[in-house]
PDB file of all heavy atoms in Angstrom:
ATOM      1  N   LEU A  89     -21.393  -6.434 -17.419  1.00 68.00           N
ATOM      2  CA  LEU A  89     -20.595  -6.483 -16.188  1.00 68.00           C
ATOM      3  C   LEU A  89     -21.253  -7.311 -15.091  1.00 68.00           C
ATOM      4  O   LEU A  89     -20.583  -7.874 -14.241  1.00 68.00           O
ATOM      5  CB  LEU A  89     -20.395  -5.059 -15.655  1.00 68.00           C
ATOM      6  CG  LEU A  89     -19.389  -4.193 -16.391  1.00 68.00           C
ATOM      7  CD1 LEU A  89     -19.463  -2.768 -15.882  1.00 68.00           C
ATOM      8  CD2 LEU A  89     -17.983  -4.733 -16.209  1.00 68.00           C
ATOM      9  N   ALA A  90     -22.582  -7.369 -15.127  1.00 63.00           N
ATOM     10  CA  ALA A  90     -23.286  -8.067 -14.051  1.00 63.00           C
ATOM     11  C   ALA A  90     -23.182  -9.582 -14.208  1.00 63.00           C
ATOM     12  O   ALA A  90     -23.422 -10.323 -13.269  1.00 63.00           O
ATOM     13  CB  ALA A  90     -24.743  -7.638 -14.040  1.00 63.00           C
ATOM     14  N   LEU A  91     -22.825 -10.035 -15.416  1.00 64.00           N
ATOM     15  CA  LEU A  91     -22.863 -11.479 -15.666  1.00 64.00           C
ATOM     16  C   LEU A  91     -21.691 -12.252 -15.085  1.00 64.00           C
ATOM     17  O   LEU A  91     -21.863 -13.116 -14.260  1.00 64.00           O
ATOM     18  CB  LEU A  91     -22.972 -11.752 -17.171  1.00 64.00           C
ATOM     19  CG  LEU A  91     -24.352 -11.457 -17.764  1.00 64.00           C
ATOM     20  CD1 LEU A  91     -24.389 -11.824 -19.219  1.00 64.00           C
ATOM     21  CD2 LEU A  91     -25.437 -12.205 -16.984  1.00 64.00           C
ATOM     22  N   GLY A  92     -20.496 -11.923 -15.527  1.00 75.00           N
ATOM     23  CA  GLY A  92     -19.366 -12.754 -15.089  1.00 75.00           C
ATOM     24  C   GLY A  92     -18.532 -12.068 -14.020  1.00 75.00           C
ATOM     25  O   GLY A  92     -18.904 -11.043 -13.460  1.00 75.00           O
ATOM     26  N   ASP A  93     -17.416 -12.672 -13.716  1.00 88.00           N
ATOM     27  CA  ASP A  93     -16.453 -12.056 -12.813  1.00 88.00           C
ATOM     28  C   ASP A  93     -15.560 -11.117 -13.622  1.00 88.00           C
ATOM     29  O   ASP A  93     -15.232 -11.400 -14.772  1.00 88.00           O
ATOM     30  CB  ASP A  93     -15.579 -13.145 -12.193  1.00 88.00           C
ATOM     31  CG  ASP A  93     -16.383 -14.018 -11.260  1.00 88.00           C
ATOM     32  OD1 ASP A  93     -16.945 -13.495 -10.296  1.00 88.00           O
ATOM     33  OD2 ASP A  93     -16.458 -15.234 -11.516  1.00 88.00           O
ATOM     34  N   VAL A  94     -15.177 -10.028 -12.980  1.00 91.00           N
ATOM     35  CA  VAL A  94     -14.291  -9.072 -13.646  1.00 91.00           C
ATOM     36  C   VAL A  94     -12.971  -9.039 -12.886  1.00 91.00           C
ATOM     37  O   VAL A  94     -12.966  -8.961 -11.651  1.00 91.00           O
ATOM     38  CB  VAL A  94     -14.898  -7.641 -13.644  1.00 91.00           C
ATOM     39  CG1 VAL A  94     -13.951  -6.643 -14.290  1.00 91.00           C
ATOM     40  CG2 VAL A  94     -16.247  -7.622 -14.343  1.00 91.00           C
ATOM     41  N   VAL A  95     -11.867  -9.127 -13.617  1.00 95.00           N
ATOM     42  CA  VAL A  95     -10.559  -8.895 -12.985  1.00 95.00           C
ATOM     43  C   VAL A  95      -9.954  -7.659 -13.640  1.00 95.00           C
ATOM     44  O   VAL A  95      -9.706  -7.653 -14.855  1.00 95.00           O
ATOM     45  CB  VAL A  95      -9.612 -10.110 -13.119  1.00 95.00           C
ATOM     46  CG1 VAL A  95      -8.284  -9.801 -12.433  1.00 95.00           C
ATOM     47  CG2 VAL A  95     -10.214 -11.358 -12.493  1.00 95.00           C
ATOM     48  N   VAL A  96      -9.776  -6.616 -12.854  1.00 95.00           N
ATOM     49  CA  VAL A  96      -9.172  -5.387 -13.368  1.00 95.00           C
ATOM     50  C   VAL A  96      -7.663  -5.587 -13.390  1.00 95.00           C
ATOM     51  O   VAL A  96      -7.069  -6.039 -12.394  1.00 95.00           O
ATOM     52  CB  VAL A  96      -9.532  -4.180 -12.462  1.00 95.00           C
ATOM     53  CG1 VAL A  96      -8.887  -2.908 -12.986  1.00 95.00           C
ATOM     54  CG2 VAL A  96     -11.042  -4.018 -12.361  1.00 95.00           C
ATOM     55  N   ILE A  97      -7.059  -5.262 -14.521  1.00 97.00           N
ATOM     56  CA  ILE A  97      -5.621  -5.479 -14.699  1.00 97.00           C
ATOM     57  C   ILE A  97      -4.910  -4.139 -14.790  1.00 97.00           C
ATOM     58  O   ILE A  97      -5.184  -3.346 -15.701  1.00 97.00           O
ATOM     59  CB  ILE A  97      -5.347  -6.260 -16.016  1.00 97.00           C
ATOM     60  CG1 ILE A  97      -6.225  -7.511 -16.142  1.00 97.00           C
ATOM     61  CG2 ILE A  97      -3.866  -6.565 -16.167  1.00 97.00           C
ATOM     62  CD1 ILE A  97      -5.890  -8.621 -15.194  1.00 97.00           C
ATOM     63  N   ASP A  98      -3.979  -3.880 -13.873  1.00 97.00           N
ATOM     64  CA  ASP A  98      -3.203  -2.634 -13.962  1.00 97.00           C
ATOM     65  C   ASP A  98      -1.716  -2.957 -13.867  1.00 97.00           C
ATOM     66  O   ASP A  98      -1.326  -4.018 -13.371  1.00 97.00           O
ATOM     67  CB  ASP A  98      -3.624  -1.650 -12.873  1.00 97.00           C
ATOM     68  CG  ASP A  98      -3.268  -0.210 -13.232  1.00 97.00           C
ATOM     69  OD1 ASP A  98      -2.793   0.032 -14.359  1.00 97.00           O
ATOM     70  OD2 ASP A  98      -3.464   0.680 -12.387  1.00 97.00           O
ATOM     71  N   ASP A  99      -0.921  -2.019 -14.362  1.00 97.00           N
ATOM     72  CA  ASP A  99       0.520  -2.237 -14.358  1.00 97.00           C
ATOM     73  C   ASP A  99       1.102  -2.140 -12.947  1.00 97.00           C
ATOM     74  O   ASP A  99       1.878  -2.974 -12.526  1.00 97.00           O
ATOM     75  CB  ASP A  99       1.221  -1.245 -15.309  1.00 97.00           C
ATOM     76  CG  ASP A  99       0.721   0.190 -15.153  1.00 97.00           C
ATOM     77  OD1 ASP A  99      -0.001   0.485 -14.160  1.00 97.00           O
ATOM     78  OD2 ASP A  99       1.052   1.022 -16.016  1.00 97.00           O
ATOM     79  N   ILE A 100       0.706  -1.101 -12.200  1.00 97.00           N
ATOM     80  CA  ILE A 100       1.362  -0.866 -10.915  1.00 97.00           C
ATOM     81  C   ILE A 100       0.386  -0.269  -9.911  1.00 97.00           C
ATOM     82  O   ILE A 100      -0.463   0.545 -10.264  1.00 97.00           O
ATOM     83  CB  ILE A 100       2.609   0.036 -11.121  1.00 97.00           C
ATOM     84  CG1 ILE A 100       3.463   0.135  -9.868  1.00 97.00           C
ATOM     85  CG2 ILE A 100       2.255   1.403 -11.617  1.00 97.00           C
ATOM     86  CD1 ILE A 100       4.870   0.685 -10.138  1.00 97.00           C
ATOM     87  N   PHE A 101       0.515  -0.715  -8.666  1.00 95.00           N
ATOM     88  CA  PHE A 101      -0.278  -0.182  -7.562  1.00 95.00           C
ATOM     89  C   PHE A 101       0.653   0.688  -6.750  1.00 95.00           C
ATOM     90  O   PHE A 101       1.634   0.198  -6.183  1.00 95.00           O
ATOM     91  CB  PHE A 101      -0.807  -1.364  -6.739  1.00 95.00           C
ATOM     92  CG  PHE A 101      -1.724  -1.010  -5.597  1.00 95.00           C
ATOM     93  CD1 PHE A 101      -3.103  -1.084  -5.750  1.00 95.00           C
ATOM     94  CD2 PHE A 101      -1.223  -0.656  -4.358  1.00 95.00           C
ATOM     95  CE1 PHE A 101      -3.973  -0.802  -4.679  1.00 95.00           C
ATOM     96  CE2 PHE A 101      -2.071  -0.370  -3.290  1.00 95.00           C
ATOM     97  CZ  PHE A 101      -3.454  -0.445  -3.459  1.00 95.00           C
TER      98      PHE A 101
END
Side-chain angles (χ1 to χ4, degrees):
L89 285 171
L91 286 183
D93 292 301
V94 178
V95 180
V96 179
I97 311 290
D98 202 5
D99 46 12
I100 189 164
F101 184 98

